[in-house]
Amino acid sequence: MPRDRPVDAWILPPAIPAPSTFQHARAGGLTIRYPQPDHDLAGVIISSLRDARRALATFETKELVAILGGVGERFARGLDDRRIGEVAANADLSPAMAETALGGMTQSWTTSALDRLVRAEFRDPGVLDGFVARDRRSIRAASPGVSVHFGAGSVPGVTVTSMVRALLVRSPVLVKPGAGDVALTVRFARALHRADSRLAAAVAVCYWPGGAAASADWEREVLARSDQVVVYGGQGTIESIRARAPATTRLVEHPHSVGVAIVDPGGARDSPESAARAVAMVDQKGCVSTHLILLLGGAREARRWCGQLADRLAALETSLPPAAAPPGQLSAIHQLRGRLAVRSAASQRIEIWSAEGPGWTVILAGGDVFEPIGSRTAWVVPVRDRSACLDALTPLSRVLQTVGLAGPRTEDSELVEGLAALGATRIVPLDQVSFPDTEWLHDGRRPLGELVRWAERR
């Protein structure tokens, strides 16, 4: 597809007339086209979705899992080079990286994966269909009504996963994809529209510039009319939505986080390879991406291991090449390397390995200079023991989510308990960091459980 041909960043339920006035924006390597933000159109979309709720409720859980999973499986099979190239251009990823990322993401959209998710969340999935007797009462997991999902634009597929989860709990959904996840989200929504008329009526996707003055009335109307808002994004995005959403609107928030690895080189021979892939995957744009590596051992062993990590990252430049960094990111990397080089000249505590360009960087330093910057930048901090690991992570407790272990095992109760106490919500072997299981506890919460509201009767 020609890069200068606009890609539609919207799809509306069939009952809504197609918009006639559009705006254009640049999203990665694509030009996207989206409806002119209009207060009245926002109200029409939410009202139409609300009307679709009754029909969506006619699905039985087993049927809904089969339909959504079937769409996911067919969609994955249809990801040819052209579609992958479109996703890669939109997300600012290389085609090879986009293909790898989508290969991991689409595994959570299959029938078997969605069935596992439902069964992991609900002891009796029948609670999604109606009241189920439990002790002296009956309980039900009820749809929250119309959900609006603000997707992250950093990793393709996150917004689709969020949309599928809403539909699993029978919530009609308006999705605002991040600018870097428009192409994939709209294509998947079209597949849902083709699959079933009830889904078509219950799914809308529409991009708009979040927080922009031109979108203020539109966004205010969407927030005022929705029953639940799910938001992925940075601190500013979440605080802005929190400040403007009505008190009666339920908010489900997923802020940015920092991924960490704890490595014992003597206990894991392949740790440089696993660490390199965890750092390189989606160019460190994901919430599970590894930025900081705590290395058990002394300075000499740390230098040797960092050299091995640098070799693996260099090799990945060929097999999973990074995308070209935008000017702002190039400047940030250049400035970081310059600052560290000056400090390194005055101290033996900082050493740097890097590509000739911005492709990757390995920094051996103390934890006091850690600065998550992305672009495959691995910060390696030597620590003397497991207790020192916990001390080093204490300043990051509010942004801690995924911790990958290589050498230490997840059965190491003292370490794992300490990590959980600090705020880590996912502790896994390092080679499993990049693609969580479908039923993972996202930010420590059940991905479907956080969407439903419970009703009981006696």
Side-chain angles (χ1 to χ4, degrees):
M1 188 184 79
R3 291 287 175 87
D4 57 353
R5 179 181 176 184
V7 172
D8 280 338
W10 61 276
I11 178 170
L12 303 181
I16 301 177
S20 58
T21 306
F22 300 94
Q23 292 189 346
H24 295 75
R26 199 68 180 166
L30 300 182
T31 299
I32 59 174
R33 184 180 76 146
Y34 59 93
Q36 172 76 29
D38 176 82
H39 175 277
D40 293 334
L41 178 59
V44 168
I45 294 172
I46 298 295
S47 295
S48 179
L49 292 173
R50 196 173 302 284
D51 291 341
R53 186 183 180 192
R54 181 169 298 180
L56 191 59
T58 63
F59 282 108
E60 291 187 356
T61 297
K62 185 176 181 180
E63 177 190 15
L64 191 53
V65 166
I67 292 175
L68 293 173
V71 170
E73 290 159 7
R74 291 190 297 274
F75 189 85
R77 291 195 297 269
L79 285 172
D80 56 17
D81 290 345
R82 181 174 68 87
R83 290 183 173 88
I84 291 171
E86 180 184 71
V87 171
N90 186 198
D92 274 332
L93 296 173
S94 67
M97 181 60 78
E99 183 175 13
T100 300
L102 290 173
M105 295 293 292
T106 56
Q107 292 302 307
S108 65
W109 305 341
T110 66
T111 303
S112 60
L114 296 181
D115 182 65
R116 285 199 315 274
L117 173 60
V118 169
R119 294 182 183 282
E121 295 263 346
F122 305 103
R123 187 170 69 188
D124 181 351
V127 294
L128 290 167
D129 302 327
F131 282 92
V132 173
R134 184 75 54 82
D135 300 324
R136 294 181 299 163
R137 60 180 177 169
S138 295
I139 61 173
R140 191 201 201 294
S143 159
V146 176
S147 293
V148 175
H149 289 227
F150 289 77
S154 52
V155 179
V158 172
T159 312
V160 167
T161 298
S162 188
M163 178 166 57
V164 168
R165 289 173 180 171
L167 295 171
L168 276 174
V169 299
R170 319 298 200 282
S171 178
V173 61
L174 166 61
V175 171
K176 178 203 175 299
D181 199 14
V182 164
L184 183 71
T185 304
V186 171
R187 280 194 178 277
F188 195 92
R190 286 177 183 153
L192 291 173
H193 276 227
R194 291 192 297 268
D196 190 283
S197 60
R198 292 167 291 180
L199 292 179
V203 172
V205 176
C206 192
Y207 173 80
W208 66 88
S215 308
D217 287 345
W218 163 285
E219 209 163 63
R220 189 178 300 111
E221 184 73 6
V222 166
L223 293 172
R225 287 177 172 264
S226 60
D227 300 295
Q228 179 166 271
V229 173
V230 179
V231 54
Y232 294 76
Q235 181 174 322
T237 297
I238 291 176
E239 289 181 351
S240 173
I241 291 173
R242 185 189 291 167
R244 290 177 293 128
T248 52
T249 299
R250 186 180 183 189
L251 297 183
V252 178
E253 303 163 354
H254 290 288
H256 289 328
S257 56
V258 173
V260 173
I262 299 176
V263 174
D264 180 356
R269 293 183 180 179
D270 62 346
S271 59
E273 177 67 29
S274 297
R277 290 189 69 85
V279 168
M281 192 57 60
V282 295
D283 298 342
Q284 283 184 317
K285 296 178 181 180
C287 66
V288 299
S289 296
T290 299
H291 294 263
L292 174 65
I293 301 168
L294 303 180
L295 194 75
L296 294 163
R300 181 178 298 179
E301 188 171 32
R303 291 189 190 95
R304 181 170 61 250
W305 191 87
C306 284
Q308 295 171 344
L309 175 61
D311 290 343
R312 303 305 193 279
L313 285 169
L316 286 174
E317 280 197 288
T318 300
S319 58
L320 286 177
Q329 187 73 1
L330 282 172
S331 176
I333 295 168
H334 178 74
Q335 291 179 33
L336 174 69
R337 290 179 179 175
R339 290 196 306 271
L340 293 176
V342 170
R343 295 186 65 169
S344 176
S347 169
Q348 298 299 314
R349 295 182 63 242
I350 298 176
E351 297 185 49
I352 305 171
W353 296 254
S354 65
E356 291 186 7
W360 55 268
T361 309
V362 176
I363 301 162
L364 177 62
D368 57 319
V369 296
F370 172 57
E371 179 184 345
I373 194 172
S375 294
R376 305 191 184 191
T377 301
W379 295 78
V380 181
V381 176
V383 289
R384 65 180 183 277
D385 54 30
R386 285 156 170 73
S387 178
C389 288
L390 301 178
D391 292 340
L393 293 178
T394 298
L396 300 176
S397 60
R398 290 191 175 185
V399 294
L400 196 58
Q401 184 212 72
T402 295
V403 178
L405 303 181
R409 301 175 64 84
T410 55
E411 293 86 355
D412 185 334
S413 60
E414 184 176 353
L415 175 62
V416 171
E417 289 289 348
L419 291 170
L422 281 175
T425 57
R426 179 171 175 254
I427 305 163
V428 296
L430 184 54
D431 59 4
Q432 298 178 24
V433 157
S434 299
F435 298 109
D437 293 333
T438 306
E439 61 271 30
W440 75 305
L441 298 175
H442 192 175
D443 290 337
R445 304 191 296 270
R446 293 181 175 179
L448 298 183
E450 70 178 4
L451 302 180
V452 301
R453 55 178 176 78
W454 288 92
E456 66 174 322
R457 70 181 185 194
R458 290 183 182 270

